[in-house]
Amino acid sequence: MSPPAVETALVADIPVLFARPDTTKAGGRLALWMHFLGGSKEAMVPFLLRLAEAGVTGVFFDAWQHGQRTNEPLDQLMIRAFSQFRRNVWPILGHTTLDAM
């Protein structure tokens, strides 16, 4: 049996990666997976594939101002985020939470 394919889509203008499990294993389960601060959905692909192999449909998206949703290099994002943590990180978490809904 071949490994699950990673697919891409736009959901409410948010780029996502997802993988569907083999239909013989699928149990209607869904996991919305988030990456670490400074990460990206692409960095989480091994987890996406493991979920699909376990019969779970995984959907991954970039946090606000991360991955495809940023216009600054990662090192600049991290400097900006940690220089004024409350001012910069809380809005990232808030926007990302709303996107997950």
Side-chain angles (χ1 to χ4, degrees):
M1 176 167 50
S2 62
V6 175
E7 301 178 57
T8 62
L10 276 178
V11 177
D13 296 323
I14 300 169
V16 302
L17 296 178
F18 66 98
R20 301 170 207 236
D22 179 319
T23 56
T24 61
K25 292 183 181 180
R29 296 176 294 167
L30 175 70
L32 180 60
W33 192 276
M34 291 303 307
H35 57 77
F36 50 89
L37 181 64
S40 69
K41 64 187 179 305
E42 289 78 14
M44 301 290 104
V45 166
F47 297 102
L48 179 66
L49 295 174
R50 286 179 64 192
L51 285 168
E53 289 167 359
V56 178
T57 299
V59 178
F60 295 37
F61 68 96
D62 288 322
W64 186 64
Q65 296 187 351
H66 284 69
Q68 281 184 277
R69 302 176 69 192
T70 189
N71 57 3
E72 66 185 323
L74 177 59
D75 60 335
Q76 287 180 359
L77 169 65
M78 298 305 281
I79 290 168
R80 180 174 58 82
F82 286 107
S83 68
Q84 293 185 319
F85 191 87
R86 289 183 184 172
R87 180 179 181 187
N88 295 313
V89 175
W90 287 117
I92 290 171
L93 294 174
H95 282 271
T96 302
T97 299
L98 292 174
D99 291 341
M101 297 171 71

